Amino acid sequence: MSVQSDVEGRSERPYAGPERFETVIIGGGQAGLSVGYHLAKRGRPFVILEANERIGDSWRKRWDSLRLFTPARYDGLAGWPFPASEWSFPTKDEMADYLEAYAAHFKLPVRTGVRVEGLSRNGERFVVVADGRLFEAENVVVAMANFQRPQRPTFAGELDPGIVQLHSCDYRNPSQLRDGGVLVVGAGNSGAEISREVSRTHPTWLSGRDVGHIPFRIEGLASRLLLAPLAFRFIFHRVLTMNTPIGRRARPKILSNGAPLIRVKPTDLTAAGIERVPRVAGVQDGLPLLEDGRVLEVANVIWCTGFHPGFSWIELPVFGEDGELVHERGVVGDEPGLYFVGLEFLYAMSSVMVHGVGRDAEYIARHIASRVPAGSAVS
Ligand SMILES: Cc1cc2nc3c(=O)[nH]c(=O)nc-3n(C[C@H](O)[C@H](O)[C@H](O)COP(=O)(O)OP(=O)(O)OC[C@H]3O[C@@H](n4cnc5c(N)ncnc54)[C@H](O)[C@@H]3O)c2cc1C
């Protein structure tokens, strides 16, 4: 171990390293593994740094009953199909195990339990600080979906302490809830699926605007024969992209409203006895206050109010005044060598989905390979 300071001059702390790599990939989920696969195919050296103890943990940590809403035929990454019947819907643990096996199968160099806490630049190289270690690289790929830090309204803290509050990322199953009503806040895919589950044991209200739904049953015959390929392969992957006028128009709406419901239909919610209510506007006497002035006397609130990427560890001027990343198809023009993969609508509606991330990953791997001539690699 050598004692040195990072570029911010935090010299008090001893750092091991630096270790040098041509490319450091931050995040070992489907996005990071996909970039790794495409770099390995081109013979380019890299390392993947993953904060969790096990590859696939971001899936393992989701609620117990979660099944993917995409059929297995759309849940495989490049080079290795998902090992299940094409029209089955994998559990979250099967997906997690698949990712772990994928990394092992292609011998991708993933270091787990390494959380990156700083990313800056020192001359031509990026400096990555993680768990007391320094890494230097010509290229860095930030490979992750937006879903890293839970987001909930600030007034959540004003709710009566007797109300059980969970964010969707902490919800596992109904046994975590108290007897009494449940208010699920946020009516996107997670909110719809969780409200359906808790409605079996608790009176349930679902708050939030209607995000729309795909007009067919994802598990049905028509889906297999025509509609799922049409939605996933054609509309989400080819039509709704930054390359089409309709995609560019749809992007801001999809980013602010969320994707349409895939599995659950509004009629399923009604059939389950779930009452749809307007958005939550605040808190009154410790209870949730709705936009229409109603106060709900519930014992539990589940916040399905989304996430943000939590990029405060990126110490580079790559975010615009609106806080949005400035990039083109994941390539950050102002910081040559810096890339992003996995974010919602990075290039297409499918960019955040398993079947869409590979195309973006390949694009970035090609960019890296063209930028750094083969043979100049440092590791
Ligand atoms: C509830 C839910 C259900 C979904 N269902 C589907 C579905 O059915 N089909 C589909 O196609 N898509 C689905 N998605 C969308 C998407 O496929 C998943 O979110 C998927 O996990 C995204 O993979 P990723 O690799 O881009 O990001 P993540 O899975 O979030 O992986 C990023 C990795 O980066 C690591 N990381 C983060 N910060 C750091 C750091 N600072 N240092 C080191 N490592 C770090 C994390 O530990 C994580 O392992 C779903 C999403 C959610 C939230």
Side-chain angles (χ1 to χ4, degrees):
M1 176 185 282
S2 62
V3 177
Q4 43 183 293
S5 65
D6 64 17
V7 290
E8 293 292 300
R10 292 173 289 208
S11 51
E12 300 306 311
R13 193 172 156 192
Y15 287 100
E19 282 183 77
R20 293 201 168 141
F21 292 92
E22 183 180 293
T23 300
V24 168
I25 300 169
I26 304 172
Q30 68 203 28
L33 299 181
S34 296
V35 177
Y37 169 86
H38 286 290
L39 282 177
K41 218 172 134 190
R42 286 165 176 75
R44 310 312 306 226
F46 63 93
V47 67
I48 302 177
L49 305 180
E50 165 54 50
N52 280 318
E53 290 306 320
R54 273 180 79 186
I55 295 167
D57 273 356
S58 64
W59 283 101
R60 279 187 200 91
K61 290 175 181 176
R62 290 175 178 153
W63 67 89
D64 296 348
S65 65
L66 183 123
R67 277 184 181 274
L68 271 70
F69 54 67
T70 38
R73 71 178 307 192
Y74 299 125
D75 297 332
L77 300 180
W80 205 31
F82 195 95
S85 127
E86 282 201 329
W87 288 100
S88 62
F89 292 83
T91 66
K92 49 135 192 158
D93 289 343
E94 286 168 347
M95 184 64 202
D97 293 347
Y98 164 75
L99 292 179
E100 201 169 37
Y102 184 88
H105 183 77
F106 291 108
K107 300 188 173 53
L108 301 178
V110 185
R111 297 203 195 165
T112 55
V114 181
R115 175 169 292 281
V116 172
E117 294 146 1
L119 169 62
S120 52
R121 191 188 265 289
N122 188 8
E124 289 300 296
R125 290 174 178 278
F126 291 101
V127 179
V128 176
V129 182
D131 285 340
R133 275 166 275 179
L134 282 184
F135 299 84
E136 288 187 353
E138 280 114 324
N139 308 289
V140 166
V141 186
V142 179
M144 57 191 73
N146 306 54
F147 318 132
Q148 305 306 319
R149 297 264 181 278
Q151 205 162 243
R152 70 196 101 203
T154 44
F155 55 70
E158 297 164 31
L159 284 177
D160 188 291
I163 294 179
V164 171
Q165 283 193 62
L166 296 167
H167 189 273
S168 61
C169 66
D170 299 314
Y171 171 76
R172 296 287 172 273
N173 58 57
S175 74
Q176 292 167 292
L177 304 175
R178 280 181 49 199
D179 284 345
V182 183
L183 172 63
V184 177
V185 186
N189 280 289
S190 296
E193 299 227 0
I194 290 174
S195 61
R196 207 155 62 140
E197 175 163 278
V198 301
S199 71
R200 293 187 198 117
T201 45
H202 296 70
T204 303
W205 289 264
L206 176 59
S207 152
R209 71 175 151 245
D210 187 347
V211 296
H213 60 279
I214 58 165
F216 60 91
R217 288 276 170 200
I218 192 69
E219 295 96 348
L221 183 64
S223 167
R224 289 180 194 202
L225 294 179
L226 176 70
L227 298 173
L230 185 70
F232 292 121
R233 275 270 164 243
F234 185 63
I235 298 176
F236 293 178
H237 199 60
R238 304 261 167 229
V239 178
L240 297 177
T241 77
M242 291 304 286
N243 235 358
T244 64
I246 188 177
R248 288 192 293 274
R249 267 201 312 277
R251 185 177 189 267
K253 205 171 153 209
I254 290 168
L255 289 181
S256 62
N257 287 6
L261 301 186
I262 306 276
R263 178 180 288 119
V264 180
K265 303 278 170 267
T267 48
D268 298 331
L269 300 172
T270 313
I274 298 163
E275 188 181 340
R276 294 296 300 263
V277 291
R279 284 159 64 89
V280 179
V283 173
Q284 189 171 302
D285 301 327
L287 293 168
L289 167 70
L290 304 179
E291 267 180 357
D292 63 3
R294 260 188 297 168
V295 172
L296 288 184
E297 276 200 43
V298 289
N300 309 276
V301 174
I302 305 178
W303 299 105
C304 297
T305 37
F307 298 83
H308 63 86
F311 282 153
S312 55
W313 50 270
I314 301 180
E315 303 154 25
L316 294 164
V318 296
F319 303 101
E321 277 177 14
D322 54 3
E324 290 300 312
L325 176 72
V326 182
H327 72 100
E328 209 174 320
R329 216 171 158 174
V331 179
V332 181
D334 286 348
E335 288 290 346
L338 180 62
Y339 305 94
F340 285 75
V341 174
L343 296 175
E344 283 184 292
F345 222 124
L346 184 91
Y347 172 65
M349 175 137 176
S350 63
S351 286
V352 75
M353 300 169 81
V354 190
H355 75 285
V357 73
R359 177 176 62 184
D360 295 350
E362 185 171 18
Y363 181 80
I364 295 304
R366 265 207 317 270
H367 207 278
I368 290 174
S370 69
R371 183 171 181 264
V372 189
S376 72
V378 287
S379 174

